[in-house]
Amino acid sequence: MTHHWRPSDGLIAGPRPGGEWFLYDRSLFIGTIQTGKVGRKRAFRSLTPAEDLIGYAWTLEAACDRLWAWHVLVRTGGEHVSLALATHPDQ
């Protein structure tokens, strides 16, 4: 079966097992994903390298996708990057 590339392919476990991951694009550090809670439900939050919040997601895969989308916007010089992504995991 063929493997299709996903942003989560660049995910590396951090020093807090099950609580923190680092996302890379080849050798470029994109950001951090941490576990947390939204309301009483477990969620994953995506943070930039400067630890600015990108947003929350219900799954680790979705958190990777959200962080990758932010990375692509920044890399391509997208205007209003902070307004381009919704923060709440249901958005």
Side-chain angles (χ1 to χ4, degrees), residues 53-57 66 81-91:
L53 177 66
I54 297 298
Y56 290 89
R66 185 178 292 258
V81 172
S82 62
L83 301 175
L85 299 171
T87 303
H88 194 276
D90 289 334
Q91 296 176 331

Side-chain angles (χ1 to χ4, degrees), residues 11-76:
L11 202 60
I12 297 174
R16 295 186 310 153
E20 184 173 60
W21 297 265
F22 303 121
L23 188 62
Y24 287 87
D25 177 10
R26 297 181 188 95
S27 62
L28 178 65
F29 177 61
I30 296 175
T32 306
I33 298 173
Q34 300 172 337
T35 58
K37 292 197 181 261
V38 173
R40 295 178 186 230
K41 192 173 178 182
R42 181 180 178 192
F44 298 90
R45 68 180 180 175
S46 303
L47 304 167
T48 69
E51 297 191 5
D52 295 325
L53 177 66
I54 297 298
Y56 290 89
W58 298 126
T59 65
L60 184 57
E61 190 72 38
C64 289
D65 292 343
R66 185 178 292 258
L67 191 53
W68 184 264
W70 169 83
H71 168 66
V72 170
L73 281 172
V74 170
R75 187 179 64 200
T76 59

